[in-house]
Amino acid sequence: MKKQVVIIGGGISGLTLLHQLKKKFVGRQDLQFLLLEKSHEVGGPIQTRRLAESLVEAGPNGFLDSKSAMVELIKDLGLESELIQADPVAKLRFVRVGSRLHAFPENPWALLRFAPLTITARLRIFGEFFIRKGANEEETVYEFGERRFGQGFAEYFLDPMVSGIFAGDAKELCLKSAFPDIYAMEQQHGSLFKALMALKKKKEKSQKGTLCSLKQGMGQLIETLDAQYQHNIQKTTEILGVHRSGNGYVIETSANKYFADQVFVSTPAASSAKILQTLDPNFTDLLNGVPYASIVVVAMAFQKNDFGQDPKGFGYLVPGRENSPVLGTLFSSNIFPNRCRDDQRLVQVMLGGQRHPGVLNWTDEELKGLAFDQLAELFQVNAAPKTLAIFRWPKAIPQYLRGHEKR
C-alpha cells in the first residue's frame, strides 16, 4: 500500500521540501508526494515580471552564495550556467539622512568619517571594547546597539539595517531571535570587536557571501521547480482544514478531500493557524501571535538621461528617525546585468514596513508620487518613468519580537 505525503503551501519552503523529499526517496514506488497551493502560481513572493524591456523582481532580488543549501539546489536543478553575481560596484551602499546620501562605512575606521554622527558619537562606538556583555535575552536590536555602541550607531546603522532585512522596527525586534549570530558573538567574546578580531586571528572567512541571482531573475528558480515537479503540484487549491483520521489525516478543500499519512505545512503563520485550528487551538493561538510587516514595492524604469545625477552602488536605506514611509531603494540595474536596457535605469523603492502599515492602502498614484518625489529630490529626475510596476505584500516578513523564542 502506497504512503501519501502532502505538502501544503507552494512557496520556496514547500517547493524545496518537495525537491528534497523526491531527491531523498528517489526510486521509492511506495511513496506518493502531492503539493497543494491555493494560488494559481507557486513561489509566493519570489516572482520575476517581464515588463516592456525590463526584468523586475516583485520580491527578493537574490540570495547569498554562502548559503550552501541554495547553491546545492541550483546545482540539482541544472541552473549553474544561469547563475550570476552582483556587480562589485553594488558593494557600495548608502544611508539617507535628510536630502543627502552617506556611504555606509565598510570598516570600523570608516565610522570615524561618517558625517551624520557627532565626534562624540563616533568615539563612543569604540568604547564597545569596554562594555560588559548583556544578560537580557529579550533585549531588542536597538537596545543592544545603544548599550554597546551608543545611540548614534543604533539610529544610523542598526535601525536602517533592520528596516532593510525585516522591514521592522529595531526598537521592537528581539536581537537573539532576529540576529542569533550577533547575540552569540557577544556572549562568547564579550565584545563584537573582540569577536571580529578573534575570527581574523583564526583566519576564518567571512560568512557574508556574495549576492547572486539567475540570468532571468529569481523567478527562473521557481519556474524550474514548477516544471520539474508539475505532476506533483496542484494549484488553485485552498485548504479549509486538516483533521485526524485514524493514523493519518484528511485534508479538506473547497472541492475535494485528500487522505495523507504525513502532512507538511509550509505556509505563513496566520495561514497555518487557520489550517490547523481543528487540531490544536492552543497551537493556533501561538501561530496567530506572530506579527508580520507589510511591504509595497514600486519599480520604475527611466531613461538614463532623465537623471541629473546617476545613482551609484546598491541603493540606500532610510533610518526610522527620518519618519519616512520609504524603507529604502535598490538601484536594480546597478546590481545585476541585463535588468533593463543599457540606456535605462531600473530602481525599486520599498515602502511601508512595521512602522508605516497604512501605506499598503494607498492608491497607485499616491505610491508612485512618493517614490518619484524621493528620486527627484536625490537624483534630479526630470521625467516620468517609462515603466511602472507596483507590488503589494500584506504579510511580507514575520517579526521576531520579544517573546518570539519562547513562542
Side-chain angles (χ1 to χ4, degrees), residues 79-164:
L79 291 172
E80 280 185 278
S81 62
E82 298 296 300
L83 196 63
I84 55 175
Q85 292 187 335
D87 192 307
V89 73
K91 289 184 178 181
L92 184 62
R93 302 172 188 228
F94 298 89
V95 177
R96 174 174 181 168
V97 180
S99 58
R100 292 188 59 192
L101 297 182
H102 300 270
F104 201 96
E106 296 183 353
N107 57 66
W109 302 114
L111 289 167
L112 293 173
R113 299 189 299 273
F114 189 69
L117 291 178
T118 64
I119 296 296
T120 302
R122 297 177 207 179
L123 295 175
R124 168 64 182 84
I125 291 172
F126 292 90
E128 195 268 350
F129 277 104
F130 310 103
I131 304 299
R132 297 174 64 180
K133 69 180 180 182
N136 179 12
E137 294 189 355
E138 294 294 333
E139 188 174 40
T140 67
V141 176
Y142 187 92
E143 290 169 343
F144 168 83
E146 186 176 36
R147 174 174 60 81
R148 294 216 63 86
F149 299 97
Q151 182 180 356
F153 185 89
E155 290 186 349
Y156 288 111
F157 297 108
L158 293 187
D159 179 273
M161 180 181 73
V162 166
S163 293

Coordinates of all heavy atoms in Angstrom, one line a residue, residues 79-164:
L79 N 21.0 24.7 -13.0 CA 21.0 26.1 -13.3 C 22.3 26.8 -13.0 O 22.4 28.0 -13.0 CB 19.9 26.8 -12.4 CG 18.5 26.4 -12.7 CD1 17.5 27.0 -11.6 CD2 18.1 26.9 -14.1
E80 N 23.4 26.0 -12.9 CA 24.7 26.6 -12.6 C 25.1 27.6 -13.7 O 25.7 28.7 -13.4 CB 25.8 25.5 -12.5 CG 25.8 24.8 -11.1 CD 26.9 23.8 -11.0 OE1 26.8 22.7 -11.5 OE2 28.0 24.2 -10.4
S81 N 24.8 27.3 -15.0 CA 25.2 28.2 -16.0 C 24.4 29.5 -16.1 O 24.8 30.4 -16.7 CB 25.1 27.5 -17.4 OG 23.7 27.1 -17.6
E82 N 23.3 29.5 -15.3 CA 22.4 30.6 -15.3 C 22.7 31.5 -14.1 O 22.2 32.6 -14.0 CB 20.9 30.2 -15.2 CG 20.5 29.4 -16.4 CD 20.5 30.2 -17.7 OE1 19.8 31.2 -17.7 OE2 21.2 29.8 -18.6
L83 N 23.7 31.1 -13.3 CA 24.0 31.8 -12.0 C 24.8 33.1 -12.4 O 25.7 33.1 -13.2 CB 24.8 30.9 -11.1 CG 24.9 31.3 -9.6 CD1 23.6 31.3 -9.0 CD2 25.9 30.3 -8.9
I84 N 24.4 34.2 -11.8 CA 25.2 35.5 -11.9 C 25.4 36.1 -10.6 O 24.7 35.9 -9.6 CB 24.4 36.5 -12.8 CG1 23.0 36.7 -12.3 CG2 24.4 36.0 -14.3 CD1 22.3 37.8 -13.0
Q85 N 26.5 36.8 -10.5 CA 26.9 37.5 -9.2 C 26.7 39.0 -9.4 O 26.7 39.6 -10.5 CB 28.3 37.2 -8.8 CG 28.6 35.8 -8.4 CD 30.0 35.6 -7.9 OE1 30.9 36.4 -8.2 NE2 30.2 34.6 -7.1
A86 N 26.4 39.7 -8.3 CA 26.2 41.1 -8.3 C 27.4 41.8 -8.7 O 28.6 41.3 -8.4 CB 25.7 41.6 -6.9
D87 N 27.3 42.9 -9.4 CA 28.4 43.7 -9.8 C 29.2 44.2 -8.5 O 28.5 44.6 -7.6 CB 27.9 44.9 -10.6 CG 29.1 45.6 -11.3 OD1 30.0 46.0 -10.6 OD2 29.0 45.9 -12.5
P88 N 30.5 44.1 -8.5 CA 31.2 44.6 -7.3 C 30.9 46.0 -6.9 O 31.0 46.4 -5.8 CB 32.7 44.5 -7.8 CG 32.7 43.4 -8.8 CD 31.4 43.5 -9.5
V89 N 30.4 46.9 -7.9 CA 30.1 48.2 -7.6 C 28.9 48.3 -6.6 O 28.7 49.2 -5.9 CB 29.7 49.0 -8.9 CG1 28.4 48.6 -9.4 CG2 29.7 50.5 -8.6
A90 N 28.1 47.2 -6.6 CA 26.9 47.1 -5.7 C 27.3 47.0 -4.2 O 26.4 47.0 -3.4 CB 26.0 46.0 -6.1
K91 N 28.6 46.8 -4.0 CA 29.0 46.7 -2.5 C 28.8 48.1 -1.9 O 28.7 48.2 -0.6 CB 30.5 46.2 -2.4 CG 30.7 44.8 -2.8 CD 32.1 44.3 -2.6 CE 32.3 42.9 -2.9 NZ 33.7 42.4 -2.6
L92 N 28.9 49.1 -2.7 CA 28.7 50.5 -2.1 C 27.2 50.7 -1.8 O 26.4 50.7 -2.6 CB 29.2 51.5 -3.1 CG 29.2 53.0 -2.7 CD1 30.2 53.2 -1.5 CD2 29.6 53.9 -3.9
R93 N 27.0 51.0 -0.5 CA 25.6 51.2 0.0 C 25.6 52.5 0.8 O 26.6 53.0 1.3 CB 25.2 50.0 0.9 CG 25.3 48.7 0.1 CD 25.0 47.5 0.9 NE 25.3 46.3 0.2 CZ 24.5 45.2 0.1 NH1 23.4 45.2 0.7 NH2 24.8 44.2 -0.7
F94 N 24.3 53.0 0.9 CA 24.2 54.4 1.4 C 23.1 54.4 2.5 O 22.2 53.5 2.5 CB 23.8 55.4 0.4 CG 24.9 55.5 -0.7 CD1 24.9 54.7 -1.8 CD2 25.9 56.5 -0.6 CE1 25.9 54.9 -2.8 CE2 26.9 56.7 -1.5 CZ 26.9 55.9 -2.7
V95 N 23.2 55.4 3.3 CA 22.1 55.7 4.3 C 21.6 57.1 4.0 O 22.4 58.0 3.8 CB 22.6 55.7 5.8 CG1 21.5 56.1 6.7 CG2 23.2 54.3 6.1
R96 N 20.3 57.3 3.9 CA 19.8 58.6 3.6 C 19.5 59.3 4.9 O 18.8 58.8 5.8 CB 18.5 58.5 2.8 CG 17.8 59.9 2.6 CD 16.6 59.9 1.8 NE 16.2 61.3 1.7 CZ 15.3 61.8 0.8 NH1 14.7 61.0 0.0 NH2 14.9 63.0 0.9
V97 N 20.0 60.5 5.0 CA 19.8 61.4 6.1 C 19.4 62.8 5.6 O 20.2 63.4 4.9 CB 21.0 61.6 7.0 CG1 20.7 62.5 8.2 CG2 21.5 60.2 7.5
G98 N 18.1 63.2 5.8 CA 17.6 64.4 5.2 C 17.6 64.2 3.7 O 17.0 63.2 3.2
S99 N 18.2 65.1 2.9 CA 18.2 65.0 1.5 C 19.5 64.6 0.9 O 19.8 64.8 -0.2 CB 17.8 66.4 0.9 OG 18.7 67.4 1.3
R100 N 20.3 64.0 1.8 CA 21.7 63.5 1.3 C 21.9 62.0 1.6 O 21.3 61.4 2.5 CB 22.8 64.3 2.1 CG 22.8 65.8 1.7 CD 24.1 66.4 2.4 NE 25.3 65.7 1.9 CZ 26.5 65.9 2.5 NH1 26.6 66.7 3.6 NH2 27.6 65.3 2.1
L101 N 22.7 61.4 0.7 CA 23.1 60.0 0.9 C 24.5 60.0 1.4 O 25.4 60.7 1.0 CB 23.1 59.3 -0.5 CG 21.7 59.2 -1.1 CD1 21.8 58.4 -2.4 CD2 20.7 58.5 -0.2
H102 N 24.7 59.1 2.4 CA 26.0 59.0 3.1 C 26.5 57.5 2.9 O 25.7 56.6 3.2 CB 26.0 59.3 4.5 CG 25.6 60.8 4.8 ND1 26.5 61.8 4.9 CD2 24.3 61.3 4.9 CE1 25.8 62.9 5.1 NE2 24.5 62.7 5.1
A103 N 27.7 57.3 2.4 CA 28.2 56.0 2.2 C 28.2 55.2 3.5 O 28.7 55.7 4.5 CB 29.6 56.0 1.5
F104 N 27.7 54.0 3.5 CA 27.8 53.1 4.6 C 29.2 52.7 4.9 O 29.9 52.2 4.0 CB 26.9 51.9 4.4 CG 26.5 51.2 5.7 CD1 25.2 51.5 6.2 CD2 27.3 50.3 6.3 CE1 24.8 50.8 7.4 CE2 26.9 49.6 7.4 CZ 25.6 49.9 8.0
P105 N 29.8 52.9 6.1 CA 31.2 52.6 6.4 C 31.4 51.1 6.1 O 30.7 50.2 6.6 CB 31.3 52.9 7.8 CG 30.3 54.0 8.1 CD 29.1 53.5 7.2
E106 N 32.5 50.8 5.4 CA 32.9 49.4 5.1 C 33.8 48.8 6.1 O 34.1 47.6 6.0 CB 33.5 49.4 3.7 CG 32.6 49.8 2.6 CD 33.2 49.7 1.2 OE1 34.5 49.4 1.1 OE2 32.5 49.9 0.2
N107 N 34.3 49.6 7.1 CA 35.1 49.0 8.1 C 35.0 49.9 9.4 O 34.5 51.1 9.2 CB 36.6 48.9 7.7 CG 37.2 50.2 7.2 OD1 37.3 51.2 8.0 ND2 37.5 50.3 5.9
P108 N 35.4 49.4 10.5 CA 35.3 50.2 11.7 C 35.9 51.6 11.7 O 35.3 52.6 12.2 CB 36.0 49.4 12.8 CG 35.8 48.0 12.3 CD 36.0 48.1 10.8
W109 N 37.1 51.8 11.0 CA 37.7 53.1 11.0 C 37.0 54.1 10.1 O 37.0 55.3 10.4 CB 39.2 52.9 10.5 CG 40.0 51.9 11.3 CD1 40.5 50.7 11.0 CD2 40.3 52.1 12.7 NE1 41.1 50.1 12.1 CE2 41.0 51.0 13.1 CE3 40.1 53.2 13.6 CZ2 41.5 50.8 14.4 CZ3 40.5 53.0 14.9 CH2 41.2 51.8 15.3
A110 N 36.2 53.6 9.1 CA 35.4 54.5 8.3 C 34.3 55.1 9.1 O 33.8 56.1 8.7 CB 34.9 53.7 7.1
L111 N 34.0 54.5 10.2 CA 32.9 55.1 11.1 C 33.3 56.5 11.6 O 32.5 57.3 11.8 CB 32.7 54.2 12.3 CG 31.9 52.8 12.0 CD1 32.1 51.9 13.2 CD2 30.5 53.1 11.7
L112 N 34.6 56.7 11.7 CA 35.1 58.0 12.2 C 34.9 59.1 11.2 O 35.0 60.3 11.5 CB 36.6 57.9 12.5 CG 37.0 56.9 13.7 CD1 38.5 56.8 13.8 CD2 36.5 57.5 15.0
R113 N 34.6 58.7 9.9 CA 34.4 59.7 8.9 C 32.9 59.8 8.5 O 32.5 60.6 7.6 CB 35.2 59.4 7.7 CG 36.7 59.4 7.9 CD 37.4 59.2 6.6 NE 37.1 58.0 5.9 CZ 37.7 56.8 6.1 NH1 38.7 56.7 7.0 NH2 37.4 55.8 5.4
F114 N 32.0 59.1 9.3 CA 30.6 59.1 8.9 C 30.0 60.5 9.4 O 29.8 60.7 10.6 CB 29.9 57.9 9.5 CG 28.5 57.8 9.1 CD1 28.2 57.4 7.8 CD2 27.4 58.0 9.9 CE1 26.9 57.2 7.4 CE2 26.1 57.8 9.5 CZ 25.8 57.4 8.2
A115 N 29.7 61.3 8.5 CA 29.3 62.7 8.8 C 28.1 62.9 9.7 O 28.1 63.8 10.6 CB 29.1 63.5 7.5
P116 N 27.0 62.1 9.5 CA 25.9 62.4 10.4 C 26.1 62.2 11.9 O 25.4 62.7 12.7 CB 24.8 61.4 9.9 CG 25.2 61.1 8.5 CD 26.7 61.1 8.5
L117 N 27.2 61.4 12.3 CA 27.5 61.2 13.7 C 28.3 62.4 14.2 O 29.3 62.8 13.5 CB 28.2 59.9 13.9 CG 27.5 58.6 13.6 CD1 28.5 57.4 13.8 CD2 26.3 58.5 14.6
T118 N 28.0 62.8 15.4 CA 28.9 63.8 16.1 C 30.2 63.1 16.4 O 30.4 61.9 16.4 CB 28.2 64.3 17.4 OG1 28.1 63.2 18.3 CG2 26.8 64.8 17.1
I119 N 31.2 63.9 16.7 CA 32.5 63.4 17.1 C 32.4 62.5 18.3 O 33.0 61.4 18.4 CB 33.5 64.6 17.4 CG1 33.8 65.4 16.1 CG2 34.8 64.0 18.0 CD1 34.5 64.6 15.0
T120 N 31.6 63.0 19.3 CA 31.4 62.2 20.5 C 30.8 60.8 20.2 O 31.2 59.8 20.7 CB 30.4 62.9 21.5 OG1 31.0 64.2 21.8 CG2 30.2 62.1 22.7
A121 N 29.8 60.8 19.3 CA 29.1 59.5 18.9 C 30.1 58.6 18.2 O 30.0 57.4 18.4 CB 27.9 59.8 18.0
R122 N 31.0 59.2 17.4 CA 31.9 58.3 16.7 C 32.9 57.7 17.6 O 33.2 56.5 17.5 CB 32.7 59.2 15.6 CG 31.9 59.8 14.5 CD 32.7 60.6 13.6 NE 31.9 61.7 13.0 CZ 32.3 62.6 12.2 NH1 33.6 62.6 11.8 NH2 31.5 63.5 11.7
L123 N 33.4 58.5 18.6 CA 34.3 57.9 19.6 C 33.6 56.9 20.5 O 34.2 55.9 20.9 CB 34.9 59.1 20.4 CG 35.8 60.1 19.6 CD1 36.2 61.2 20.5 CD2 37.0 59.3 19.0
R124 N 32.3 57.2 20.8 CA 31.6 56.3 21.7 C 31.5 54.9 21.1 O 31.5 53.9 21.8 CB 30.2 56.8 21.9 CG 29.2 55.8 22.5 CD 29.6 55.5 23.9 NE 28.6 54.5 24.5 CZ 28.7 53.2 24.4 NH1 29.7 52.7 23.6 NH2 27.8 52.4 24.9
I125 N 31.5 54.7 19.8 CA 31.5 53.4 19.1 C 32.6 52.5 19.6 O 32.4 51.3 19.9 CB 31.5 53.6 17.6 CG1 30.1 54.2 17.1 CG2 31.7 52.2 16.9 CD1 30.1 54.6 15.7
F126 N 33.8 53.1 19.7 CA 35.0 52.4 20.1 C 35.1 52.1 21.6 O 35.9 51.3 22.0 CB 36.2 53.1 19.6 CG 36.3 53.1 18.1 CD1 35.8 54.1 17.3 CD2 36.9 52.0 17.4 CE1 35.8 54.1 15.9 CE2 37.0 52.0 16.0 CZ 36.4 53.0 15.3
G127 N 34.1 52.7 22.3 CA 34.0 52.3 23.7 C 33.4 50.9 23.9 O 33.3 50.4 25.0
E128 N 33.0 50.3 22.8 CA 32.4 49.0 22.8 C 33.3 48.0 23.4 O 32.8 47.0 24.1 CB 32.0 48.6 21.4 CG 31.0 47.4 21.3 CD 31.8 46.0 21.2 OE1 33.0 46.0 21.0 OE2 31.1 45.0 21.3
F129 N 34.6 48.2 23.3 CA 35.6 47.2 23.9 C 35.4 47.1 25.4 O 35.7 46.0 25.9 CB 37.0 47.8 23.6 CG 37.6 47.4 22.3 CD1 37.6 48.4 21.3 CD2 38.0 46.1 22.0 CE1 38.1 48.1 20.0 CE2 38.5 45.8 20.7 CZ 38.6 46.8 19.8
F130 N 34.9 48.1 26.0 CA 34.9 48.1 27.5 C 33.5 47.9 28.1 O 33.3 48.0 29.3 CB 35.4 49.5 28.0 CG 36.7 49.8 27.4 CD1 36.8 50.8 26.3 CD2 37.9 49.2 27.7 CE1 38.0 51.1 25.7 CE2 39.1 49.5 27.1 CZ 39.1 50.5 26.1
I131 N 32.5 47.6 27.2 CA 31.1 47.3 27.7 C 31.0 45.8 28.1 O 31.3 45.0 27.3 CB 30.1 47.7 26.6 CG1 30.3 49.2 26.2 CG2 28.7 47.5 27.1 CD1 30.1 50.2 27.3
R132 N 30.4 45.6 29.2 CA 30.2 44.2 29.7 C 29.1 43.6 28.8 O 28.2 44.2 28.3 CB 29.8 44.2 31.1 CG 30.9 44.7 32.1 CD 30.5 44.8 33.5 NE 30.1 43.4 34.0 CZ 29.7 43.2 35.3 NH1 29.5 44.3 36.1 NH2 29.5 42.0 35.7
K133 N 29.2 42.3 28.6 CA 28.2 41.6 27.8 C 26.9 41.6 28.5 O 26.8 41.6 29.8 CB 28.6 40.1 27.5 CG 28.6 39.2 28.7 CD 29.1 37.8 28.3 CE 29.1 36.8 29.5 NZ 29.5 35.5 29.0
G134 N 25.8 41.6 27.7 CA 24.4 41.7 28.3 C 23.9 40.4 28.9 O 24.4 39.3 28.6
A135 N 22.9 40.5 29.7 CA 22.3 39.4 30.3 C 20.8 39.2 30.0 O 20.1 38.3 30.4 CB 22.5 39.4 31.8
N136 N 20.3 40.2 29.2 CA 18.9 40.2 28.9 C 18.6 39.5 27.6 O 18.9 40.0 26.5 CB 18.3 41.6 28.8 CG 16.9 41.7 28.5 OD1 16.2 40.7 28.5 ND2 16.4 42.9 28.2
E137 N 18.0 38.3 27.6 CA 17.8 37.5 26.4 C 16.6 38.2 25.5 O 16.5 37.8 24.4 CB 17.4 36.1 26.7 CG 18.6 35.3 27.3 CD 18.3 33.8 27.5 OE1 17.2 33.4 27.2 OE2 19.2 33.1 27.8
E138 N 15.9 39.1 26.1 CA 14.8 39.7 25.4 C 15.2 41.1 24.9 O 14.3 41.9 24.5 CB 13.5 39.8 26.3 CG 12.9 38.4 26.6 CD 12.4 37.7 25.4 OE1 12.0 38.4 24.4 OE2 12.4 36.5 25.4
E139 N 16.5 41.4 25.0 CA 16.9 42.8 24.6 C 16.6 43.0 23.1 O 16.8 42.1 22.2 CB 18.4 42.9 24.8 CG 19.0 44.3 24.6 CD 20.4 44.4 25.0 OE1 21.2 43.4 24.7 OE2 20.8 45.4 25.6
T140 N 16.1 44.2 22.7 CA 15.9 44.5 21.3 C 17.2 44.8 20.6 O 18.2 45.1 21.2 CB 14.9 45.7 21.2 OG1 15.5 46.9 21.7 CG2 13.6 45.4 22.0
V141 N 17.1 44.9 19.3 CA 18.3 45.2 18.5 C 18.7 46.6 18.8 O 19.9 46.9 18.9 CB 17.9 45.1 17.0 CG1 19.1 45.6 16.1 CG2 17.5 43.7 16.6
Y142 N 17.7 47.6 19.0 CA 18.1 48.9 19.3 C 18.7 49.1 20.6 O 19.8 49.7 20.8 CB 16.8 49.8 19.2 CG 17.1 51.3 19.3 CD1 17.3 52.1 18.2 CD2 17.2 51.9 20.6 CE1 17.6 53.4 18.3 CE2 17.5 53.3 20.7 CZ 17.7 54.0 19.6 OH 18.0 55.4 19.7
E143 N 18.2 48.4 21.6 CA 18.7 48.4 23.0 C 20.2 47.9 23.0 O 21.0 48.4 23.7 CB 17.9 47.6 23.9 CG 16.5 48.3 24.2 CD 15.6 47.4 25.0 OE1 15.8 46.2 25.0 OE2 14.6 47.9 25.5
F144 N 20.4 46.8 22.2 CA 21.7 46.2 22.1 C 22.7 47.2 21.5 O 23.8 47.4 22.1 CB 21.6 45.0 21.3 CG 23.0 44.4 20.9 CD1 23.7 43.6 21.7 CD2 23.5 44.7 19.6 CE1 24.9 43.1 21.3 CE2 24.7 44.2 19.2 CZ 25.5 43.4 20.1
G145 N 22.3 47.8 20.4 CA 23.2 48.8 19.7 C 23.5 50.0 20.6 O 24.6 50.5 20.6
E146 N 22.5 50.5 21.2 CA 22.6 51.7 22.1 C 23.6 51.4 23.3 O 24.4 52.2 23.6 CB 21.3 52.2 22.6 CG 21.3 53.5 23.3 CD 20.0 54.0 23.7 OE1 19.1 53.1 24.0 OE2 19.8 55.2 23.7
R147 N 23.4 50.2 23.9 CA 24.2 49.8 25.0 C 25.7 49.6 24.6 O 26.6 50.0 25.3 CB 23.6 48.5 25.6 CG 24.5 47.9 26.8 CD 23.8 46.7 27.4 NE 23.5 45.6 26.5 CZ 24.4 44.7 26.1 NH1 25.6 44.8 26.6 NH2 24.1 43.8 25.2
R148 N 25.9 48.9 23.5 CA 27.3 48.6 23.2 C 28.0 49.7 22.4 O 29.2 49.9 22.6 CB 27.3 47.3 22.3 CG 26.8 46.0 23.1 CD 27.7 44.8 22.6 NE 29.1 45.0 23.0 CZ 29.6 44.7 24.2 NH1 28.8 44.2 25.1 NH2 30.9 44.9 24.4
F149 N 27.3 50.4 21.5 CA 27.9 51.4 20.6 C 27.5 52.8 20.8 O 28.0 53.7 20.2 CB 27.7 50.9 19.2 CG 28.3 49.6 18.8 CD1 27.5 48.5 18.8 CD2 29.6 49.4 18.5 CE1 28.0 47.2 18.5 CE2 30.1 48.2 18.2 CZ 29.3 47.1 18.2
G150 N 26.4 53.0 21.5 CA 25.8 54.4 21.6 C 24.6 54.6 20.8 O 24.3 53.9 19.8
Q151 N 23.9 55.7 21.1 CA 22.6 56.0 20.4 C 22.8 56.2 18.9 O 22.0 55.8 18.1 CB 22.0 57.2 21.1 CG 20.6 57.6 20.5 CD 20.0 58.8 21.2 OE1 20.5 59.3 22.2 NE2 18.9 59.2 20.7
G152 N 23.9 57.0 18.6 CA 24.1 57.3 17.2 C 24.2 56.1 16.3 O 23.6 56.0 15.2
F153 N 25.0 55.1 16.7 CA 25.2 53.9 16.0 C 23.9 53.1 15.8 O 23.5 52.6 14.7 CB 26.2 53.0 16.7 CG 26.6 51.8 15.9 CD1 27.6 51.8 15.0 CD2 25.9 50.6 16.1 CE1 27.9 50.6 14.3 CE2 26.2 49.4 15.4 CZ 27.2 49.5 14.5
A154 N 23.1 53.1 16.9 CA 21.8 52.4 16.9 C 20.9 53.0 15.9 O 20.2 52.3 15.1 CB 21.2 52.3 18.3
E155 N 20.9 54.3 15.8 CA 19.9 55.1 15.0 C 20.3 55.1 13.5 O 19.5 54.9 12.6 CB 19.8 56.5 15.4 CG 19.0 56.6 16.8 CD 18.8 58.1 17.1 OE1 19.3 59.0 16.5 OE2 18.0 58.3 18.1
Y156 N 21.6 55.2 13.2 CA 22.0 55.3 11.8 C 22.5 54.0 11.2 O 22.6 54.0 9.9 CB 23.2 56.4 11.7 CG 22.7 57.8 12.0 CD1 23.1 58.5 13.1 CD2 21.9 58.4 11.0 CE1 22.7 59.8 13.3 CE2 21.5 59.7 11.2 CZ 21.9 60.4 12.4 OH 21.5 61.7 12.6
F157 N 22.7 53.0 11.9 CA 23.2 51.8 11.3 C 22.3 50.6 11.6 O 21.8 49.9 10.7 CB 24.6 51.5 11.8 CG 25.6 52.5 11.4 CD1 26.1 53.4 12.3 CD2 26.0 52.7 10.1 CE1 27.0 54.4 12.0 CE2 26.9 53.6 9.7 CZ 27.4 54.5 10.6
L158 N 22.1 50.3 12.9 CA 21.3 49.1 13.2 C 19.8 49.3 12.8 O 19.1 48.4 12.3 CB 21.4 48.8 14.7 CG 22.7 48.3 15.2 CD1 22.7 47.8 16.6 CD2 23.2 47.1 14.3
D159 N 19.3 50.5 13.1 CA 17.9 50.7 12.7 C 17.6 50.6 11.2 O 16.7 49.8 10.8 CB 17.5 52.1 13.2 CG 16.0 52.5 12.9 OD1 15.8 53.0 11.8 OD2 15.1 52.2 13.7
P160 N 18.3 51.2 10.3 CA 18.1 51.0 8.9 C 18.4 49.6 8.4 O 17.8 49.1 7.5 CB 19.0 52.0 8.2 CG 20.0 52.4 9.2 CD 19.3 52.3 10.6
M161 N 19.4 48.9 9.1 CA 19.7 47.5 8.8 C 18.4 46.6 9.0 O 18.1 45.8 8.2 CB 20.8 47.0 9.6 CG 21.2 45.6 9.3 SD 22.6 45.0 10.2 CE 21.8 44.8 11.9
V162 N 17.8 46.9 10.2 CA 16.6 46.1 10.5 C 15.4 46.4 9.5 O 14.7 45.5 9.1 CB 16.1 46.5 11.9 CG1 14.7 46.0 12.2 CG2 17.0 45.8 12.9
S163 N 15.3 47.7 9.1 CA 14.4 48.0 8.0 C 14.6 47.3 6.7 O 13.7 46.8 6.1 CB 14.4 49.6 7.8 OG 13.9 50.3 8.9
G164 N 15.9 47.2 6.4 CA 16.3 46.6 5.1 C 16.1 45.1 5.1 O 15.7 44.5 4.1

